Amino acid sequence: MFQGASALNLDAKGRMSVPAKHRDALLVQGEGRITLTKHPDGCLLLFPRPEWETFRTRVAQLPMDAHWWRRIFLGNAAEIDLDGAGRILVSPELRAAAGIEKEVMLLGMGSHLELWDASTYAAKEQAAIAQGMPEALKQFNF
């Protein structure tokens, strides 16, 4: 289970060091094999390979009227491996899709991680807070 937020930087080659708490889980769950793909909210999704295979199967089964969503998720998927230093390489195409240059936020989302441009994430989080709590959470006990 992935949880927590990490503020990180990409190096000049577009590599990101995965925090140890997530790296260990990625090594256990998928032997360091990862899939990165676009998300329409403007971030990238990072899956350990077994979780990706489950997600990929679900996306592939979407009805015909969702063919663009299959293209977004499956057509942009990149299979990558953790290197010996615990880093992943984020391709230039995926960095451009998410507006990522250097400063990023890595968010644990349970079965997967989200990778955001840090300033984009901060702006979207503030906008969500300013809109107030959605109905679905108003009856939720904290």
Side-chain angles (χ1 to χ4, degrees):
M1 174 118 177
F2 299 101
Q3 63 184 28
S6 300
L8 305 166
N9 290 306
L10 298 185
D11 68 13
K13 295 180 180 179
R15 295 175 300 193
M16 178 188 76
S17 290
V18 177
K21 64 183 176 181
H22 298 315
R23 186 179 331 131
D24 295 344
L26 290 168
L27 288 168
V28 168
Q29 288 184 34
E31 299 173 351
R33 298 169 54 226
I34 297 163
T35 301
L36 255 167
T37 194
K38 285 183 186 179
H39 189 283
D41 282 347
C43 66
L44 300 177
L45 300 174
L46 191 154
F47 291 92
R49 193 63 46 86
E51 290 294 337
W52 167 252
E53 290 169 4
T54 300
F55 181 78
R56 179 183 61 200
T57 299
R58 289 177 45 218
V59 170
Q61 294 172 349
L62 291 171
M64 236 0 237
D65 64 353
H67 65 277
W68 272 105
W69 294 103
R70 280 195 302 276
R71 287 182 180 119
I72 291 167
F73 292 121
L74 304 181
N76 290 287
E79 295 181 352
I80 55 179
D81 294 316
L82 279 169
D83 69 11
R87 300 173 300 195
I88 59 167
L89 175 65
V90 182
S91 71
E93 296 84 4
L94 288 174
R95 290 194 313 261
I100 292 172
E101 291 184 21
K102 184 170 176 68
E103 296 179 355
V104 296
M105 285 296 293
L106 185 66
L107 299 175
M109 300 298 293
S111 65
H112 64 282
L113 297 141
E114 291 182 350
L115 183 62
W116 287 88
D117 170 74
S119 61
T120 300
Y121 177 77
K124 288 191 178 237
E125 182 181 77
Q126 286 301 329
I129 291 169
Q131 286 180 352
M133 199 171 285
E135 285 299 318
L137 287 178
K138 288 186 178 174
Q139 301 301 317
F140 190 80
N141 292 321
F142 291 95

